[in-house]
Amino acid sequence: MNTLRTAIPTWARIALGITAIPHLATGFWAVLAPANWYANYPGFGEPLVAAEPPFNAHLASDAGVGFLAVGVLLLLAAIIGDRLLTFVAAATLFVFSAPHLVFHLMHRVPTMSTTGFLTGIVGLVVAIILPVVLVLTIKVTEGD
C-alpha cells in the first residue's frame, strides 16, 4: 500500500481542523465584508489591518481569498486525513505564513501597541510551527 495515502494520527487531524477555523473565518469575513474586516480585524483588541491605511477593497478581498483557500485546504486535510494531503496542506500553510511573519517583523507599524504587535506575531509563529511539526512527525516516504 502507498504510505502517502495512509491515515494520519487523530491529533494531526484535530490540529489541522483547529488551524482551519481562523483561516476560514478571516477569509469569509474579508471576502464578504472587506471594509468591516479592514476596520475591525481581528475582532478583539486593537485593529491590526487598519493600522496601515488606506483601505483598499480589492486588496482586502483578495487577502480574504488567500485565507479562505488555505483554510479550505486545511479543513480538507483534516477531514480526509491522509498523509499526502496533510503534507500539501502543511507546505501551503508554511508558504502562506512564513513571508507573512517576515513582513510583520520587518514592518512594525509605529502606532501599534506592543500587545497588538505581539498578538499578530504569536499567531504567525504558531502557523509556522504547526506545518513544521506535521512534516517532521508524519512520515511521507514509502516503507515507514
Side-chain angles (χ1 to χ4, degrees):
M1 178 177 194
N2 183 342
T3 59
L4 289 175
R5 291 316 228 187
T6 59
I8 61 171
T10 301
W11 70 264
R13 293 176 84 160
I14 292 168
L16 287 163
I18 289 170
T19 306
I21 293 168
H23 286 83
L24 292 168
T26 299
F28 278 120
W29 185 9
V31 168
L32 298 174
N36 184 279
W37 173 78
Y38 170 84
N40 297 297
Y41 182 82
F44 60 88
E46 67 184 291
L48 298 178
V49 180
E52 291 201 67
F55 169 69
N56 179 316
H58 181 184
L59 185 57
S61 181
D62 284 356
V65 171
F67 277 100
L68 196 55
V70 172
V72 167
L73 182 56
L74 292 166
L75 184 60
L76 288 172
I79 292 168
I80 295 169
D82 75 19
R83 292 177 183 199
L84 179 59
L85 188 53
T86 298
F87 181 77
V88 171
T92 300
L93 179 60
F94 185 86
V95 168
F96 182 80
S97 300
H100 195 173
L101 173 63
V102 170
F103 178 86
H104 282 280
L105 288 172
M106 296 179 68
H107 299 93
R108 182 172 176 183
V109 178
T111 58
M112 185 176 288
S113 71
T114 300
T115 301
F117 176 73
L118 291 176
T119 298
I121 297 302
V122 168
L124 291 169
V125 168
V126 170
I128 288 174
I129 292 172
L130 176 64
V132 170
V133 168
L134 286 169
V135 168
L136 292 176
T137 59
I138 299 172
K139 298 176 185 175
V140 293
T141 58
E142 292 288 339
D144 58 343

